[in-house]
Amino acid sequence: MTSYGYRLFTFQVYRGFKRTPLDLADCKGDPYQEIAESLLKTLSVGTVVGEPTEEGQAEVEVEGAFSKPALRVEEVRIVDNTIRATVWAGKFGSHEKAIGDVAGSDTDIKDKAASNLFRVVLAFPEEGDIGILAVETIGRSCPVAQLTRWMTKKSRDEATQGADEGAWWRICVTPLADENRLAEMIREGQAQRLVLVRHATTAGRTRVVRDIEITASLAVSSRMDKAVQIVQGWYRHKRQMEEDPAVTDEEGARQLAAIVGPQVADMDLDDGWVQIEDPDGQVKPSQMTDVFTYRLSEDQPPVTPRFYASVRETAVGLQPAAKVGIDWPVS
């Protein structure tokens, strides 16, 4: 069963490799909303293949498109202080054939990128350097990194067409998460148990396997409270990782093992997570963004008005804590 939803991010824009974010209303005289609209329309002209780096482009030229990611923007429109776009994203060679309902109607797609369509919203403040980006999710897929890196690449390409490099704009995103929601998910019974794992290498050193797997109930109230504190700590580290390195999965496993007891904590466990009811639900240090996927429907994508209304409602609720001021259009 495929789930449909969205993730929210804050975004900031920098000139080239500089480290001071720009006022989104004034990127060297132009509002970034106009610049972003132009970049997205540039990405609608054709399909971009591979990683948006010189090395990535060289790989495509030498090795071809097989197994490389692909992206194309299909529609771009302005609604007040938002840009709304749809994006095709997929990978070349991920499927061999599209089969029809009757024999003889199949289509060979080995040289095509099997793709899904994702809706995207960029919302801009009247002034300030922080905007909000919403990107649709289909299962675990969310093309936010592809899209923003290609926007940056296209901006730099345009700036280097002449003899001298002009101004170009680098867009950076950060997950817009909700610490209170994280605690509620665990305390309200969605968190079922702790899972702790130790891995080992096979005798022939050909692969890594699970050597030990331990599960522990979260029904004990003291254990539940400690799990909430640990997971909130992971979240805070994730938000501040420029100043404070993020917690690794191995460190997280040690923290969770200490809740269960000393006999477990001494077993050199190297991975661990809080298991959530949700089918995708593992809360672990390296997958914190997965927790903040806001699901809307199963099997069928939600209708567009519902998608935009839900994005708006969630973003408005999270803005104050993120110190973001955006007046979202009603529809």
Side-chain angles (χ1 to χ4, degrees), residues 305-328:
R306 184 185 174 211
F307 174 80
Y308 288 131
S310 185
V311 164
R312 178 184 183 277
E313 181 181 7
T314 306
V316 167
L318 297 179
Q319 283 179 185
K323 297 181 173 58
V324 181
I326 295 176
D327 184 15
W328 287 75

Side-chain angles (χ1 to χ4, degrees), residues 293-308:
T293 296
Y294 297 87
R295 286 176 176 75
L296 287 174
S297 62
E298 304 291 337
D299 287 340
Q300 295 292 330
V303 296
T304 296
R306 184 185 174 211
F307 174 80
Y308 288 131

